[in-house]
Amino acid sequence: MKQNDHTIFKISWRNIWRNRLRSSIIILAVTIGIFGGLVSTGIMKGMVMGLINNSLENQTSHIQIHNKQFVENNEVGFLMNKTDKLLSKISKEPAVKSVCERTKTFGMASTASKSAGIMVNGIDPVREKTVTGIWKKIVKGGGTYFESNKRNRIVISEKLAKKLKARIKSKIVITFQDYDGNLTGASFKVEGIYRTQNSMFDKQNVFVRKTDLDKLLNMPSHSAHEIAIVLKNYKQTGAEVERIKRLTPDYLVQGWPEIDPYLQVSASMVDFMLYIFMLIILIALGFAIVNTMLMVILERTKELGMIMAIGMNKFKVFKMIFYETTLLGIIGALVGIVISAAFTLYFGRYGIDISIVGKGFEAMGYGTVMKPYLELTDYFQVLIMVIITGLIASVFPTIRALKMKPVEAIRD
Amino acid sequence: MKVIEIKDLYKSYHDTEVEVKAVNGINLIFEEGEFSAIVGPSGSGKTTLLNVIGGLDAPSSGSVIIDGTDISTLSSRQMIDFRLHNIGFVFQAYNLIPVLTAKENAEFIMQLQKKSRAERDARIAELFAAIGIQGKENIRPNRLSGGQQQRVAVARALASKPKFILADEPTANLDSKSTANLLDIMRKLNEDENITFIFSTHDQRVIDRAKRVILLDDGKVTKDTKTK
Ligand SMILES: Nc1ncnc2c1ncn2[C@@H]1O[C@H](COP(=O)(O)OP(=O)(O)OP(=O)(O)O)[C@@H](O)[C@H]1O
Ligand SMILES: [Mg+2]
């Protein structure tokens, strides 16, 4: 800062503390407003990030590959061939952390008393564990995740278990159409019961060994319906999709935003919400600040007249008012940001239990423990918005100040 | 050397139904180093004249030429800058910025002029010694007496060595002791630094200390005497 500016800044800063009560009230209002805006955005963002992470971890992964027709119509026949070669090529990609393949088919699961439509996922448990986290989601006393090497084992969700009245070691009969279009079925023994935070997903998905399912479906060897890939960094999704497309031009390669557009939309919605929230809060605060500053200008008519008379130009008068206005906002914003950051860090770590009110959330795939989440850029954006508000809010008081004629201001 | 030349100066106000001719045809010349009092009854136009000379108010007609510059040719922006670099002001009251200390107030103009810290410090020390404010440099105006405040204002006006200083009733709010003291200081600085002072006053004791007395009545100069 030039020494010139330094003096003006010093005046502005000290002017704030001339009326401590009034300034404190404005600063407190800004603090509360910023805290409210940031924390509510943080909570929403945390929920959405939780949803996205859950989905990426348990369902979509970062990239999936399918036969184009399979995506439109999940028929057993629309499969991908020579997947063994493809998998090894993909594994060699530097950005790829892990990859797995699945056989998938719709089917009907029945026990003695009940039946339900399901998606049967034929997986290779060893590879699958490196891609999805379902194996970590086995409920207490809910058996194991393909630890037994016996044939025809199945892992189902707690939800489905309840519906089918099935337990560990229960027999479930699964019927489906095989590769040749014949209706076929087999009996599976429940080995594990899992629960993710997305009950919609849970209701539908059961897991069996790919080798078991392939045999039943009569699948050609080295074929699969789905390849799922996890990257070392999810931010590389877009670039890696392009690279894998070149490896396998015939099949449909999709990144998670394309597989589940809702996730992507939710993420950008929350960022947008921050703007909207902050905009509304800052407009309200802006009015309060403008009002305060107009009062200030009125009180200091003579002083301002004198300053302009002795040679302070209009731009410097504006700067003086701008600094004071913006400092009011920035002090409040910084306090608000510090409190919000503390809140977000603490509850982001330990979570807020919303299970009492959270029944509906769980069905939508959100967790029952709320973990607010904010990024450094969110705080910066808020600070910049506060400064812009200060800039806009200083315009009216400055106009008022500059309208005064020094002669009239000075006259008794 | 001519510092200010005032030619056929008129200033009237039309605020009310009747036109008030606050300055009604004044011609004056102020030379460098003058110590002049503008004297006259209330409403005679002293403040108006000083404001027009200082470029705070525009004349209705006529011109004010300062060091060769007709100030009516300056834009309002240029005028502010011109005031900053050429004219020192001392007002009757509200001279100081309440949130700045005595020293910060005194160096305020020099700071606006972007003078270096060393230059400012030296000048303010010199002036504070002259006005007898040593030891109170870091005190804010509300803890200075009225006389001390006016002395700081004089120091500020003088600090940047302007072409001249305009002071509108600088002693109006002061007791007689402070008045005498301020006048002594102004007169001393006028003599030591050859700075031109033009001030208005009602006060006979102030008039007695002036080197030139200009009597105003109804916006006209009725008497102009050089005493010393
Ligand atoms: N802004 C204004 N609008 C209207 N009339 C004004 C204005 N300023 C001054 N006047 C009038 O102009 C005349 C001269 O006023 P001015 O203030 O210059 O007198 P003065 O000699 O300084 O008086 P005082 O000794 O009371 O300070 C007065 O009649 C006053 O009422
Ligand atoms: Mg007057």
Side-chain angles (χ1 to χ4, degrees), chain A residues 330-362:
Chain A
I330 288 180
I331 297 168
L334 286 178
V335 179
I337 283 173
V338 167
I339 301 174
S340 307
F343 181 95
T344 309
L345 285 176
Y346 182 83
F347 287 106
R349 180 122 186 238
Y350 299 107
I352 307 165
D353 190 356
I354 54 156
S355 53
I356 314 159
V357 292
K359 289 270 182 309
F361 285 116
E362 198 171 10

Coordinates of all heavy atoms in Angstrom, one line a residue, chain A residues 330-362:
Chain A
I330 N -15.8 -7.3 5.9 CA -14.7 -8.3 6.0 C -14.5 -8.8 7.4 O -14.3 -10.0 7.6 CB -13.4 -7.7 5.4 CG1 -13.6 -7.6 3.9 CG2 -12.2 -8.6 5.7 CD1 -12.4 -7.0 3.2
I331 N -14.6 -7.9 8.4 CA -14.4 -8.3 9.8 C -15.5 -9.3 10.1 O -15.2 -10.4 10.6 CB -14.4 -7.1 10.8 CG1 -13.3 -6.1 10.5 CG2 -14.3 -7.6 12.2 CD1 -13.4 -4.8 11.2
G332 N -16.7 -9.0 9.8 CA -17.8 -9.9 10.0 C -17.6 -11.2 9.3 O -17.9 -12.3 9.8
A333 N -17.2 -11.1 8.0 CA -17.1 -12.3 7.2 C -16.0 -13.2 7.7 O -16.1 -14.4 7.8 CB -16.8 -11.9 5.8
L334 N -14.8 -12.6 8.1 CA -13.7 -13.4 8.7 C -14.2 -14.1 9.9 O -13.9 -15.3 10.1 CB -12.5 -12.5 8.9 CG -11.8 -12.1 7.7 CD1 -10.6 -11.2 8.1 CD2 -11.3 -13.2 6.8
V335 N -14.8 -13.4 10.8 CA -15.3 -14.1 12.0 C -16.3 -15.2 11.6 O -16.2 -16.3 12.1 CB -16.0 -13.1 13.0 CG1 -16.5 -13.8 14.2 CG2 -15.0 -12.0 13.4
G336 N -17.2 -14.9 10.7 CA -18.2 -15.9 10.3 C -17.5 -17.1 9.6 O -17.9 -18.2 9.9
I337 N -16.4 -16.8 8.9 CA -15.7 -17.9 8.2 C -15.0 -18.8 9.2 O -15.0 -20.0 9.1 CB -14.8 -17.3 7.1 CG1 -15.5 -16.9 5.9 CG2 -13.7 -18.3 6.7 CD1 -14.7 -16.1 4.8
V338 N -14.4 -18.1 10.2 CA -13.6 -18.9 11.2 C -14.6 -19.8 11.9 O -14.3 -21.0 12.1 CB -12.9 -18.0 12.1 CG1 -12.4 -18.7 13.3 CG2 -11.7 -17.3 11.4
I339 N -15.7 -19.3 12.3 CA -16.7 -20.1 13.1 C -17.2 -21.2 12.2 O -17.3 -22.4 12.6 CB -17.9 -19.2 13.6 CG1 -17.3 -18.1 14.5 CG2 -18.9 -20.1 14.4 CD1 -18.4 -17.2 15.0
S340 N -17.6 -20.8 10.9 CA -18.1 -21.9 10.0 C -17.1 -22.9 9.7 O -17.4 -24.1 9.7 CB -18.4 -21.2 8.6 OG -19.3 -20.1 8.8
A341 N -15.8 -22.5 9.6 CA -14.7 -23.5 9.3 C -14.6 -24.5 10.5 O -14.5 -25.7 10.3 CB -13.4 -22.8 9.0
A342 N -14.6 -23.9 11.7 CA -14.5 -24.7 12.9 C -15.7 -25.7 13.0 O -15.5 -26.9 13.2 CB -14.5 -23.8 14.2
F343 N -16.9 -25.2 12.7 CA -18.1 -26.0 12.7 C -18.0 -27.1 11.7 O -18.2 -28.3 12.0 CB -19.3 -25.1 12.4 CG -20.6 -25.9 12.4 CD1 -21.4 -25.9 13.5 CD2 -21.1 -26.5 11.3 CE1 -22.7 -26.5 13.5 CE2 -22.3 -27.2 11.2 CZ -23.1 -27.2 12.4
T344 N -17.6 -26.7 10.5 CA -17.5 -27.7 9.4 C -16.5 -28.7 9.6 O -16.7 -29.9 9.4 CB -17.3 -26.9 8.1 OG1 -18.2 -25.9 8.0 CG2 -17.4 -27.9 6.9
L345 N -15.3 -28.3 10.2 CA -14.2 -29.3 10.4 C -14.6 -30.2 11.5 O -14.4 -31.4 11.4 CB -12.9 -28.5 10.8 CG -12.2 -27.8 9.6 CD1 -11.0 -27.1 10.1 CD2 -11.8 -28.9 8.6
Y346 N -15.2 -29.7 12.6 CA -15.6 -30.6 13.7 C -16.7 -31.6 13.3 O -16.5 -32.8 13.4 CB -16.1 -29.7 14.9 CG -16.4 -30.6 16.1 CD1 -15.4 -31.0 17.0 CD2 -17.7 -31.0 16.3 CE1 -15.7 -31.9 18.0 CE2 -18.1 -31.9 17.4 CZ -17.1 -32.3 18.2 OH -17.4 -33.1 19.3
F347 N -17.8 -31.1 12.8 CA -18.9 -32.0 12.4 C -18.6 -32.7 11.1 O -19.2 -33.8 10.9 CB -20.2 -31.2 12.4 CG -20.7 -30.8 13.7 CD1 -20.6 -29.5 14.1 CD2 -21.2 -31.8 14.6 CE1 -21.0 -29.2 15.4 CE2 -21.6 -31.4 15.8 CZ -21.6 -30.1 16.3
G348 N -17.7 -32.2 10.3 CA -17.3 -32.9 9.1 C -16.5 -34.2 9.5 O -16.5 -35.2 8.8
R349 N -15.9 -34.1 10.7 CA -15.1 -35.3 11.2 C -16.0 -36.2 12.0 O -16.1 -37.4 11.7 CB -14.0 -34.7 12.1 CG -13.2 -35.8 12.7 CD -11.7 -35.5 12.3 NE -10.9 -36.6 12.8 CZ -9.8 -36.4 13.6 NH1 -9.5 -35.2 14.0 NH2 -9.1 -37.4 14.0
Y350 N -16.8 -35.6 12.9 CA -17.6 -36.5 13.8 C -19.0 -36.6 13.4 O -19.7 -37.5 13.9 CB -17.5 -35.9 15.3 CG -16.1 -35.9 15.8 CD1 -15.4 -34.7 15.9 CD2 -15.4 -37.0 16.1 CE1 -14.1 -34.6 16.3 CE2 -14.1 -37.0 16.5 CZ -13.4 -35.8 16.6 OH -12.1 -35.8 17.0
G351 N -19.5 -35.8 12.5 CA -20.8 -36.0 12.0 C -21.9 -35.5 12.9 O -21.7 -35.4 14.1
I352 N -23.1 -35.2 12.3 CA -24.2 -34.9 13.1 C -25.2 -36.0 12.8 O -25.6 -36.3 11.7 CB -24.8 -33.5 12.6 CG1 -23.8 -32.4 12.6 CG2 -26.0 -33.2 13.5 CD1 -24.2 -31.2 11.8
D353 N -25.7 -36.6 13.9 CA -26.6 -37.7 13.7 C -28.0 -37.2 13.4 O -28.6 -36.5 14.2 CB -26.7 -38.6 15.0 CG -27.4 -39.9 14.7 OD1 -27.9 -40.1 13.6 OD2 -27.4 -40.7 15.7
I354 N -28.5 -37.5 12.2 CA -29.9 -37.1 11.9 C -30.8 -38.3 11.7 O -31.8 -38.2 11.0 CB -29.9 -36.2 10.6 CG1 -29.2 -37.0 9.4 CG2 -29.2 -34.9 10.8 CD1 -29.6 -36.5 8.1
S355 N -30.4 -39.4 12.3 CA -31.2 -40.6 12.1 C -32.7 -40.5 12.5 O -33.6 -41.1 12.0 CB -30.6 -41.8 12.7 OG -30.4 -41.5 14.1
I356 N -32.9 -39.6 13.5 CA -34.3 -39.4 14.0 C -35.2 -38.8 12.9 O -36.3 -39.2 12.7 CB -34.3 -38.4 15.2 CG1 -33.2 -38.8 16.2 CG2 -35.7 -38.4 15.9 CD1 -32.8 -37.7 17.1
V357 N -34.6 -37.8 12.2 CA -35.4 -37.2 11.1 C -35.0 -37.7 9.8 O -35.5 -37.3 8.7 CB -35.2 -35.7 11.1 CG1 -35.9 -35.1 12.4 CG2 -33.7 -35.3 11.0
G358 N -34.0 -38.7 9.7 CA -33.4 -39.0 8.5 C -33.9 -40.2 7.7 O -33.3 -40.6 6.7
K359 N -35.1 -40.7 8.1 CA -35.6 -41.9 7.4 C -35.7 -41.7 5.9 O -35.3 -42.5 5.1 CB -37.0 -42.3 8.0 CG -36.9 -42.8 9.4 CD -36.7 -44.3 9.4 CE -36.7 -45.0 10.8 NZ -35.8 -44.4 11.7
G360 N -36.3 -40.6 5.6 CA -36.5 -40.3 4.1 C -35.2 -40.1 3.4 O -35.1 -40.5 2.2
F361 N -34.2 -39.5 4.1 CA -32.9 -39.3 3.4 C -32.3 -40.6 3.0 O -31.7 -40.7 1.9 CB -32.0 -38.5 4.3 CG -32.3 -37.1 4.5 CD1 -32.7 -36.6 5.8 CD2 -32.3 -36.2 3.4 CE1 -33.0 -35.3 5.9 CE2 -32.6 -34.9 3.6 CZ -33.0 -34.4 4.9
E362 N -32.4 -41.5 3.8 CA -31.7 -42.8 3.6 C -32.2 -43.4 2.3 O -31.5 -44.0 1.5 CB -31.9 -43.7 4.7 CG -30.8 -44.8 4.7 CD -30.8 -45.6 6.0 OE1 -31.7 -45.5 6.8 OE2 -29.9 -46.4 6.1

